[in-house]
């Protein structure tokens, strides 16, 4: 075969030789790469650009998918919040419609013994508050079929204000319904403010092991002034009125203010004593410990004239009142009342923790 025929059959061979001749720096091993560029195939830089473009497309696609996911999550959260809101509205509405006055018992139309319960601490923010107890007592007294009323008590006491309000209302109801007898019956404990209330009843009963009495008043707190002095903390208290900060636990105790607080407590204690004396009358066997704040079991309380006998609610209804059927008149707070009280408690909590006087 001639040289011209070989050249015609291998058109790239001359090109390869020319590239090598014109570019002496190009090695024979680089000829295929150079040839690739000359015949139009993509170079390495173009391939890299394509790879970068693919990465960019993938990043954009992931970002779009992420936005869509967050959008769906946002819609789901909004939907959940709306469902919770609707459920709250339904629950509140059901509480208002099904129990508008908070009364749990149906109106009794046959002879029975009415029961009103005082359970737990006596305070304006607790179920055993003056408004609730008074409402319950009024319902129990005014029902013509209730032959007597039992005030069932299981409470360590609490606010002297709430206790005093209930005491006064019991006295009023007893005058308004002179033929309807009120019995106070203690279960585990009837102490302090709870006994304050019980002393307004016609008769008081308890179990032999019940805790009864504790006729006294206390006001407690802590003093941290020496602690902050020891750790090097400066107390900065600004007041208008020289006695405004007398309850501040971080200020030193002032003898004059201490005497004033003691006088105030003595006054509340005197009110408590007068209420017990007025309620128990000649049945009370007063001694040096009667108003000292001591608490007695049921047997000793009976000896001291603090109670009239040993009996339970069932025994009093069956054997003394002679109407064994019990109807509970205790007002139970509705859902709306509980929610309102929770919000109110959050505002009043700071002040209540500042001044905490209890009949104990």
């Amino acid at each position: 075969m001639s040289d011209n025929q070989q050249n015609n059959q291998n058109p790239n061979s001359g090109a390869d030789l020319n590239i090598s001749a014109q570019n002496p720096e190009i090695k024979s091993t680089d000829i295929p790469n150079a040839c690739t560029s000359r015949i139009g195939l993509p170079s390495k830089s173009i391939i890299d650009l394509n790879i970068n473009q693919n990465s960019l497309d993938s990043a954009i696609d992931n970002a779009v998918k992420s936005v869509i996911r967050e959008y769906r999550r946002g819609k789901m959260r909004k939907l959940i919040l709306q469902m919770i809101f609707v459920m709250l509205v339904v629950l509140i509405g059901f509480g208002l419609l099904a129990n508008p006055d908070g009364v749990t018992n149906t109106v009794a139309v046959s002879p029975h013994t009415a029961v009103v319960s005082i359970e737990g601490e006596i305070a304006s923010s607790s179920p055993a508050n003056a408004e609730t107890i008074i409402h319950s007592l009024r319902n129990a007294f005014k029902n013509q079929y209730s032959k007597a009323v039992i005030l069932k008590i299981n409470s360590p006491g609490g606010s002297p204000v709430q206790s005093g309000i209930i005491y006064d209302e019991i006295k009023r109801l007893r005058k308004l319904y002179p033929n309807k007898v009120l019995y106070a019956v203690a279960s585990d404990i009837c102490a302090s403010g709870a006994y304050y209330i019980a002393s307004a009843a016609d008769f008081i009963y308890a179990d032999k092991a019940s805790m009864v009495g504790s006729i006294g008043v206390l006001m407690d707190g802590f003093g941290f002034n020496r602690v902050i002095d020891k750790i090097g903390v400066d107390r900065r208290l600004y007041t208008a009125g020289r006695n405004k900060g007398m309850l501040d636990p971080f200020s030193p105790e002032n003898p004059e203010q201490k005497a004033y607080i003691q006088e105030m407590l003595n006054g509340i204690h005197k009110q408590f004593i007068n209420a017990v004396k007025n309620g128990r009358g000649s049945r009370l066997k007063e001694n040096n410990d009667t108003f000292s704040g001591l608490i007695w079991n049921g047997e000793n309380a009976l000896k001291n004239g603090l109670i009239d006998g040993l009996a339970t609610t069932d025994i009093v209804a069956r054997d003394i009142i002679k109407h064994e059927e019990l109807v509970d008149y205790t007002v139970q707070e509705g859902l709306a009342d509980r929610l309102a009280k929770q919000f109110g408690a959050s505002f009043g909590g700071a002040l209540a923790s500042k001044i905490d006087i209890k009949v104990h």
Side-chain angles (χ1 to χ4, degrees):
M1 183 182 294
S2 66
D3 292 339
N4 290 335
Q5 289 178 336
Q6 290 180 353
N7 290 337
N8 291 336
Q9 291 179 359
N10 299 288
N12 290 332
S13 59
D16 293 341
L17 294 175
N18 291 335
I19 291 171
S20 299
Q22 295 175 4
N23 298 284
E25 296 179 356
I26 296 178
K27 300 178 182 179
S28 60
T29 57
D30 293 335
I31 291 176
N33 291 334
C35 292
T36 301
S37 299
R38 292 291 296 272
I39 63 178
L41 295 178
S43 66
K44 183 178 180 181
S45 61
I46 294 176
I47 293 173
D48 291 342
L49 181 61
N50 289 336
I51 293 173
N52 291 336
Q53 183 65 36
N54 292 335
S55 300
L56 180 61
D57 290 342
S58 177
I60 293 174
D61 184 61
N62 290 335
V64 171
K65 289 180 179 178
S66 177
V67 170
I68 293 173
R69 282 196 300 269
E70 291 300 321
Y71 176 75
R72 290 175 177 173
R73 289 175 184 171
K75 289 187 68 177
M76 183 60 68
R77 283 194 293 266
K78 184 177 180 181
L79 180 60
I80 292 173
L81 290 175
Q82 289 174 343
M83 291 175 63
I84 292 173
F85 177 77
V86 171
M87 291 176 63
L88 286 174
V89 171
V90 170
L91 287 173
I92 293 173
F94 179 78
L96 293 175
L97 293 175
N99 192 16
D101 295 324
V103 181
T104 58
N105 62 291
T106 58
V107 177
V109 292
S110 61
H112 62 273
T113 298
V115 177
V116 174
S117 297
I118 297 179
E119 187 81 23
E121 183 183 9
I122 301 165
S124 60
S125 59
S126 75
N129 62 79
E131 182 180 358
T132 299
I133 301 304
I134 288 173
H135 190 179
S136 305
L137 287 169
R138 288 174 181 172
N139 290 335
F141 270 95
K142 74 181 181 181
N143 190 321
Q144 60 178 327
Y145 295 101
S146 65
K147 299 307 176 181
V149 179
I150 291 179
L151 190 59
K152 186 178 179 181
I153 301 174
N154 186 26
S155 169
S159 165
V161 175
Q162 299 292 306
S163 301
I165 294 172
I166 298 171
Y167 177 96
D168 293 339
E169 180 62 16
I170 290 175
K171 288 291 188 179
R172 188 190 74 85
L173 289 172
R174 284 180 57 192
K175 289 181 180 179
L176 189 62
Y177 302 92
N179 298 322
K180 197 163 289 191
V181 181
L182 175 66
Y183 300 85
V185 179
S187 54
D188 293 325
I189 185 169
C190 178
S192 191
Y195 187 77
Y196 191 152
I197 295 171
S199 65
D202 292 285
F203 301 98
I204 305 175
Y205 289 87
D207 183 80
K208 59 183 178 297
S210 299
M211 296 289 100
V212 180
S214 186
I215 304 171
V217 183
L218 67 80
M219 180 178 180
D220 54 2
F222 296 93
F224 298 100
N225 55 298
R226 284 180 291 182
V227 174
I228 64 174
D229 288 342
K230 189 173 182 179
I231 62 177
V233 176
D234 292 330
R235 172 63 170 161
R236 297 172 183 174
L237 177 66
Y238 307 101
T239 64
R242 62 189 180 89
N243 292 311
K244 187 62 179 177
M246 69 178 178
L247 296 174
D248 178 56
F250 299 101
S251 298
E253 194 172 41
N254 184 302
E256 180 183 350
Q257 294 172 348
K258 179 181 178 181
Y260 175 82
I261 291 175
Q262 186 61 56
E263 182 181 357
M264 180 179 65
L265 296 178
N266 291 340
I268 297 173
H269 190 206
K270 187 176 180 179
Q271 295 170 6
F272 193 176
I273 293 171
N274 291 337
V276 173
K277 286 183 175 181
N278 181 268
R280 298 301 296 163
S282 60
R283 294 172 292 181
L284 184 66
K285 299 172 184 178
E286 185 178 345
N287 55 54
N288 292 333
D289 293 329
T290 303
F291 305 118
S292 67
L294 280 180
I295 192 167
W296 293 270
N297 61 27
E299 288 182 337
N300 290 326
L302 180 60
K303 294 176 182 178
N304 290 316
L306 294 174
I307 64 175
D308 298 289
L310 302 175
T312 63
T313 299
D314 291 334
I315 293 174
V316 171
R318 183 186 66 237
D319 299 339
I320 300 175
I321 302 173
K322 306 298 184 182
H323 288 281
E324 192 172 357
E325 181 186 356
L326 301 175
V327 177
D328 188 5
Y329 283 79
T330 310
V331 171
Q332 303 295 335
E333 292 181 331
L335 177 61
D337 293 331
R338 291 196 297 270
L339 290 175
K341 192 160 289 185
Q342 287 295 326
F343 284 114
S346 64
F347 288 102
L351 183 59
S353 62
K354 191 77 171 178
I355 305 175
D356 190 12
I357 303 175
K358 296 180 181 179
V359 278
H360 279 305

